[in-house]
Amino acid sequence: DIQMTQSPSSLSASVGDRVTITCRASQSISSYLNWYQQKPGKAPKLLIYAASSFHSGVPSRFSGSGSGTDFTLTISSLQPEDFATYYCQQTYSSPDTFGQGTKLEIK
Amino acid sequence: QVTLRESGPALVKPTQTLTLTCTFSGFSLSTNGMCVTWIRQPPGKALEWLARIDWDDDKSYSTSLKTRLTISKDTSKNQVVLTMTNMDPVDTATYFCARIYRGGWNYIDYWGQGTLVTVSS
């Protein structure tokens, strides 16, 4: 199985900050990397697919980059509604594994 | 409009078999590339991928759980069923079903709201 490792596990930041979350795959996954945002009690929502493509309706302050084994999700200027948990997921090969999540909290 | 809804028991006893049904609308599982996947999330913990069934009836399972899982589909009813045998309290979680399109870049674009399953005697 391909292991996905996110860092950091948690992060405190302020509104307006620029934040970067990293996801590393245990082997190359090309660009088959997706990012999801989850708020408490809700299902996750797709933000980024194919490492850097925006899902419909996602604000432009979110961006993704990377290929192979190393990927990043960047939020350019944090908004109050962005405080949530973020997960990466690889869909290069089954099982489609998730990272352990990064909880973004208000400082 | 694509929707998915999970249904099943809220409480199961240890050693019992859990059967969950995902009823969906707005797409067909007979369409090339369409798939339904199950994911769970224990309280306060991370998402865990469980299984996927594809339009062509191909099935994939979590390596650690594959001996306990079975996924099947009824295309005419727009339903996907997941069974998990020998339930244990550590299987207490919210179980989500979701749609994934595997016709190019594979990603989950629609999720159900999730159903909480508690395993307790």
Side-chain angles (χ1 to χ4, degrees):
Chain A
D1 295 4
I2 297 175
Q3 309 301 318
M4 306 301 294
T5 303
Q6 284 182 239
S7 61
S9 297
S10 63
L11 177 59
S12 294
S14 302
V15 172
D17 283 354
R18 179 184 179 89
V19 165
T20 297
I21 298 168
T22 297
C23 182
R24 174 165 288 175
S26 61
Q27 65 185 72
S28 178
I29 57 170
S30 182
S31 294
Y32 286 88
L33 190 283
N34 308 316
W35 290 98
Y36 302 89
Q37 177 194 65
Q38 187 181 32
K39 296 183 178 179
K42 300 293 187 182
K45 291 184 177 180
L46 178 66
L47 296 175
I48 302 285
Y49 67 94
S52 61
S53 296
F54 293 99
H55 183 54
S56 175
V58 172
S60 59
R61 62 182 179 272
F62 290 92
S63 64
S65 65
S67 67
T69 60
D70 294 313
F71 302 86
T72 58
L73 173 70
T74 299
I75 310 172
S76 59
S77 178
L78 274 174
Q79 297 302 300
E81 60 268 30
D82 300 337
F83 292 94
T85 301
Y86 294 84
Y87 293 94
C88 62
Q89 181 202 28
Q90 68 81 22
T91 53
Y92 178 76
S93 71
S94 297
D96 299 345
T97 40
F98 288 92
Q100 81 277 19
T102 296
K103 187 173 184 179
L104 181 52
E105 299 174 306
I106 301 173
K107 185 184 287 184
Chain B
Q1 181 189 1
V2 173
T3 64
L4 302 101
R5 186 182 76 252
E6 307 87 353
S7 58
L11 179 65
V12 297
K13 290 180 167 38
T15 75
Q16 286 187 335
T17 294
L18 171 68
T19 299
L20 294 173
T21 300
C22 177
T23 303
F24 57 87
S25 63
F27 67 99
S28 172
L29 249 186
S30 59
T31 300
N32 272 16
M34 287 297 174
C35 314
V36 169
T37 189
W38 284 94
I39 292 151
R40 72 178 180 179
Q41 185 171 39
K45 295 189 178 181
L47 301 170
E48 180 183 14
W49 187 90
L50 298 177
R52 190 187 72 243
I53 189 162
D54 299 350
W55 76 100
D56 59 0
D57 210 36
D58 192 21
K59 304 173 179 95
S60 301
Y61 295 101
S62 160
T63 300
S64 61
L65 294 170
K66 62 183 176 183
T67 60
R68 300 173 52 204
L69 294 173
T70 303
I71 193 169
S72 62
K73 63 182 173 75
D74 186 329
T75 304
S76 65
K77 291 184 179 178
N78 281 353
Q79 290 182 332
V80 170
V81 174
L82 181 75
T83 62
M84 181 180 291
T85 61
N86 194 25
M87 292 292 285
D88 183 272
V90 300
D91 296 313
T92 294
T94 296
Y95 287 74
F96 296 98
C97 67
R99 182 183 91 158
I100 179 168
Y101 178 64
R102 293 179 68 83
W105 299 106
N106 314 319
Y107 53 86
I108 297 172
D109 54 358
Y110 291 95
W111 297 70
Q113 63 186 15
T115 186
L116 176 61
V117 177
T118 300
V119 184
S120 175
S121 55

